[in-house]
Amino acid sequence: MSFINYVINGLSLGSIYAIIALGYTMVYGIARMLNFAHGDVIMVGAFTVFFGVSMQGLNPIAAVFVSIAICITLGVTIEFIAYRPLRGAASSLVVLITAIGVSYFLQNLALLIFGANTKSFTSMVPINPVRLAGGEIVISGETIMTILSCIIIMISLTAFIKKTKPGQAMLAVSEDKGAAQLMGINVNGTISLTFAIGSGLAAIAGILLCSAYPSLSPYTGSMPGIKAFIAAVFGGIGSIPGALIGGILLGVIEILGRAYISSQLADVIVFMVLIIVLLVKPTGLLGRKLQEKV
């Protein structure tokens, strides 16, 4: 496979990481918490499509919309039941432990329902591969759909935040929850909306991930979720453009590392790059230093 093919595959994988990282960076930027159950929402979205199409004979497009709706409902429910009561907790460690607990709960629930065996996932992408340069460069339909989806999501999300009242409310809550509430903004509703958007994106990312890499298990979302979190930190957690840049760079680095260095050491390379970036720029590529109020 040529270098260009590796880069294209890296862009595809990086686009998936970027979509997942958006969920992390939005929740952190607005609620100031790390939702480590986000990776398992990816798994729930993929299993919903798998169950709907393979077991219920549902139309693939309908299954995708059902998956997004279920993940949105799940995200809002998790925020309401698990995180909202802890919002005033003295230590952020309490919320972090709760997030890990929710993650294990979702994994074990999936194990009980679907079992531990890896399922074969049927691609939801109806686009044929494109061959360029006399067949030397092959761009799969999944790659095309993933990159286009990432671009569309990024543009739409940026426009939503800058041009709509709910988006402006998100910006206000991210700056100062107390002041936003005094100005009449529904802080709880804004945070719930953030979780809804992030969880809907997780469903899309799960479907794209399993379409490109057609296997599914209760642990499918674990490692992509961790890597997407790395991408969010890499780009500057809390920054939407940073999530895009971090995800793309991480995907390209991982694929090139697998191709030219070692497939066994690819994950190690990813973590090493993160460490180097944080040593040079602790806030990430596009992150900004927050002033601590005392």
Side-chain angles (χ1 to χ4, degrees):
M1 187 180 289
S2 68
F3 174 77
I4 296 176
N5 276 322
Y6 287 130
V7 172
I8 292 171
N9 289 340
L11 290 173
S12 175
L13 180 61
S15 295
I16 295 173
Y17 289 158
I19 295 171
I20 303 171
L22 282 172
Y24 280 114
T25 205
M26 286 184 67
V27 168
Y28 180 82
I30 293 168
R32 289 290 182 265
M33 62 160 290
L34 297 174
N35 179 24
F36 279 116
H38 190 63
D40 299 287
V41 178
I42 298 166
M43 174 268 295
V44 171
F47 261 118
T48 302
V49 171
F50 172 81
F51 180 79
V53 174
S54 301
M55 299 182 180
Q56 300 297 316
L58 203 62
N59 179 279
I61 296 176
V64 169
F65 281 104
V66 170
S67 173
I68 293 171
I70 286 178
C71 285
I72 288 174
T73 304
L74 177 62
V76 172
T77 303
I78 289 172
E79 190 276 329
F80 181 77
I81 294 176
Y83 300 146
R84 187 176 297 184
L86 301 175
R87 197 167 295 156
S91 173
S92 58
L93 186 62
V94 176
V95 182
L96 181 63
I97 293 171
T98 302
I100 294 171
V102 172
S103 173
Y104 279 113
F105 171 77
L106 293 176
Q107 285 181 15
N108 284 278
L109 185 62
L111 280 169
L112 288 172
I113 297 172
F114 296 104
N117 294 332
T118 300
K119 310 294 190 295
S120 180
F121 191 92
T122 303
S123 175
M124 297 291 110
V125 178
I127 301 175
N128 293 323
V130 174
R131 299 180 182 274
L132 304 174
E136 291 292 325
I137 300 173
V138 180
I139 307 175
S140 68
E142 288 78 14
T143 295
I144 296 170
M145 178 62 78
T146 300
I147 294 174
L148 285 176
S149 298
C150 182
I151 294 170
I152 292 169
I153 288 170
M154 193 64 59
I155 293 173
S156 301
L157 192 57
T158 302
F160 172 79
I161 290 175
K162 289 185 176 180
K163 303 293 184 182
T164 67
K165 286 185 178 180
Q168 293 294 305
M170 288 179 179
L171 290 176
V173 172
S174 70
E175 288 294 330
D176 191 320
K177 290 187 185 67
Q181 193 164 20
L182 289 174
M183 295 298 292
I185 293 173
N186 184 343
V187 173
N188 287 333
T190 300
I191 293 175
S192 292
L193 178 60
T194 305
F195 271 84
I197 293 173
S199 299
L201 295 179
I204 296 171
I207 295 165
L208 292 171
L209 175 67
C210 291
S211 293
Y213 303 91
S215 64
L216 177 61
S217 79
Y219 306 105
T220 290
S222 298
M223 187 54 71
I226 291 172
K227 289 180 181 177
F229 172 68
I230 292 172
V233 175
F234 191 8
I237 193 161
S239 167
I240 290 177
L244 173 63
I245 294 172
I248 296 295
L249 288 177
L250 202 70
V252 172
I253 289 168
E254 180 177 340
I255 295 297
L256 292 180
R258 289 183 189 278
Y260 294 108
I261 300 176
S262 169
S263 59
Q264 286 79 23
L265 295 177
D267 292 343
V268 176
I269 294 167
V270 166
F271 284 98
M272 284 179 62
V273 169
L274 174 67
I275 292 170
I276 292 169
V277 169
L278 292 182
L279 286 173
V280 176
K281 198 172 188 303
T283 57
L285 297 177
L286 299 183
R288 59 191 178 92
K289 190 173 182 180
L290 295 175
Q291 297 295 328
E292 193 72 27
K293 294 181 180 180
V294 295

